[in-house]
Amino acid sequence: MSIFSSPAFEDHEGLHAFHDRAAGLNCLIAIHSTARGPASGGVRMWAYPDDQAAIDDALRLSRAMSHKNAMADIDLGGGKAVIIGDSRTAKTPAMFEALGRAIEALGGRYWAAEDVGVSPADLTHSRKFSRYVAGLEGHPAASGDPSPVTAEGVKRGIALCVERALGRQVSQVTVAIQGVGHVGAILARKLAADGAKLIVCDINEAAAAAVAAETGAKVVSTGAIFDVEADVFAPCALGGAVSAATLPRIKARVIAGGANNQLVDAGVGQALFDAGKLYAPDFVINGGGIINVAGEIRALERGEAFDPSWVEGKVAAMIRTLAEVLDRSASERRPADQVAVQMARERIAAARR
């Protein structure tokens, strides 16, 4: 299958490959849309099994960022960078300096921030070679690590969904969190502070144990998280958590988490809806981080200091948009993911016009 005929391509504006042998960099930057503004999305580092898997992931994530940024109502399009490699063993300052040169070569069409396997500290090396790197610290416009804002938005979205689906408060439910990395661990702390009972898992057993020690969560294996008794299932690891195989095992009435591309395909969204479960579309509920990054980009371009109140206003509006999606899903009797994709596409099309 060619890149252009791939279902993941879906009218991308560009897919750029960058290689720096000396720095050990093999990187793809996908730009889905710049209709609403320069493309923006995180940099992910992962040990992909082959180049095609990296291409597909970059394209899917880039498209999701277009939808996310549109639903967050920020002046950014969708893009994503993926570095092929093991983030635990292969990262070097030289690699991220080379990444900075790659980002700069795109002339401002793409703004980078951190994602899975990449930290703000890594991106400080990229910032030496490109101004189009955000989510950092140490300057007046800096927004810092976006993960806490992502987690805050997800927490508020979970509270909304629990009230809608169960008529309860967060303090009255059990939440199963799949993955306690940057976002998942912060989400666990926030939910525990609000009185929720937690069940957690992570491929990093030490990370899961640390979160459990701090929050009182029960730890289960990564394979068992789908089978636990919980009111909310919160995918906060990699994409594809909800599939035709895992959905029948999920007992929770609410699926709402921080991961991108949680549903394997639209068919799973329909099956989820038919099963009477409430789903918070991932690219709506997890937009807090990119809103935070957008606040930094906004400040940089205006020559101003970072404005937390602007970010808070956008996060609050994001939760209102989630409520609108859920209202339309119920009134139109359509899966929430279909409603949200339609809304995002309409917003992007309006910007193009």
Side-chain angles (χ1 to χ4, degrees):
M1 179 182 292
S2 74
I3 292 173
F4 301 110
S5 62
S6 167
F9 189 78
E10 193 192 304
D11 293 331
H12 269 73
E13 293 178 11
L15 177 64
H16 307 269
F18 295 94
H19 170 68
D20 188 314
R21 178 180 294 180
L25 178 72
N26 288 310
C27 172
L28 297 163
I29 300 178
I31 296 177
H32 180 259
S33 172
T34 56
R36 294 178 59 88
S40 183
V43 179
R44 173 171 295 190
M45 186 171 182
W46 194 255
Y48 294 98
D50 52 51
D51 293 349
Q52 188 61 54
I55 290 170
D56 290 345
D57 202 31
L59 292 172
R60 284 193 294 261
L61 291 166
S62 173
R63 179 180 59 196
M65 288 307 304
S66 279
H67 294 165
K68 181 186 298 190
N69 294 344
M71 294 301 275
D73 193 27
I74 53 180
D75 296 331
L76 294 172
K80 202 76 174 186
V82 300
I83 299 172
I84 301 172
D86 190 332
S87 64
R88 297 168 298 179
T89 60
K91 288 198 293 189
T92 66
M95 173 183 288
F96 285 92
E97 289 173 357
L99 173 66
R101 291 190 290 271
I103 293 167
E104 186 67 19
L106 294 175
R109 295 186 66 233
Y110 168 70
W111 279 82
E114 61 89 24
D115 193 32
V116 175
V118 175
S119 70
D122 295 325
L123 291 180
T124 59
H125 300 292
S126 304
R127 188 71 167 82
K128 299 173 187 176
F129 294 89
S130 178
R131 67 181 293 261
Y132 304 110
V133 179
L136 304 182
E137 299 176 349
H139 59 86
S143 61
D145 184 354
S147 300
V149 188
T150 302
E152 175 63 23
V154 173
K155 185 204 80 167
R156 295 186 196 184
I158 287 174
L160 172 66
C161 293
V162 165
E163 182 180 354
R164 290 290 187 91
L166 306 173
R168 286 187 262 163
Q169 305 298 312
V170 167
S171 60
Q172 300 170 301
V173 300
T174 298
V175 183
I177 303 178
Q178 181 199 35
V180 286
H182 288 311
V183 173
I186 300 169
L187 175 64
R189 297 184 196 109
K190 288 177 176 290
L191 290 171
D194 285 349
K197 295 181 180 179
L198 303 178
I199 304 171
V200 303
C201 76
D202 198 280
I203 57 173
N204 182 338
E205 295 179 359
V211 168
E214 187 175 354
T215 65
K218 176 182 177 182
V219 178
V220 299
S221 69
T222 55
I225 194 70
F226 301 103
D227 303 304
V228 300
E229 294 287 345
D231 303 292
V232 179
F233 177 61
C236 293
L238 295 181
V242 186
S243 66
T246 61
L247 179 58
R249 298 166 56 190
I250 297 173
K251 299 177 178 65
R253 284 273 308 281
V254 172
I255 297 177
N260 292 314
N261 297 329
Q262 294 169 21
L263 308 184
V264 166
D265 53 41
V268 175
Q270 183 67 54
L272 191 158
F273 180 78
D274 292 342
K277 298 182 186 293
L278 188 153
Y279 172 59
D282 47 56
F283 58 87
V284 181
I285 194 175
N286 68 8
I290 194 61
I291 289 172
N292 203 61
V293 170
E296 179 171 332
I297 294 171
R298 177 177 180 268
L300 284 168
E301 293 187 332
R302 294 181 172 208
E304 299 174 351
F306 179 72
D307 183 2
S309 65
W310 182 88
V311 172
E312 168 56 32
K314 287 292 186 182
V315 172
M318 178 185 79
I319 300 304
R320 292 194 294 271
T321 297
L322 174 61
E324 180 183 352
V325 170
L326 299 180
D327 286 342
R328 286 186 54 178
S329 174
S331 64
E332 298 171 14
R333 298 183 180 180
R334 286 198 296 152
D337 59 301
Q338 291 183 19
V339 171
V341 167
Q342 179 185 341
M343 289 174 63
R345 287 175 173 169
E346 287 172 350
R347 292 183 179 192
I348 294 167
R352 287 198 184 102
R353 289 194 296 269

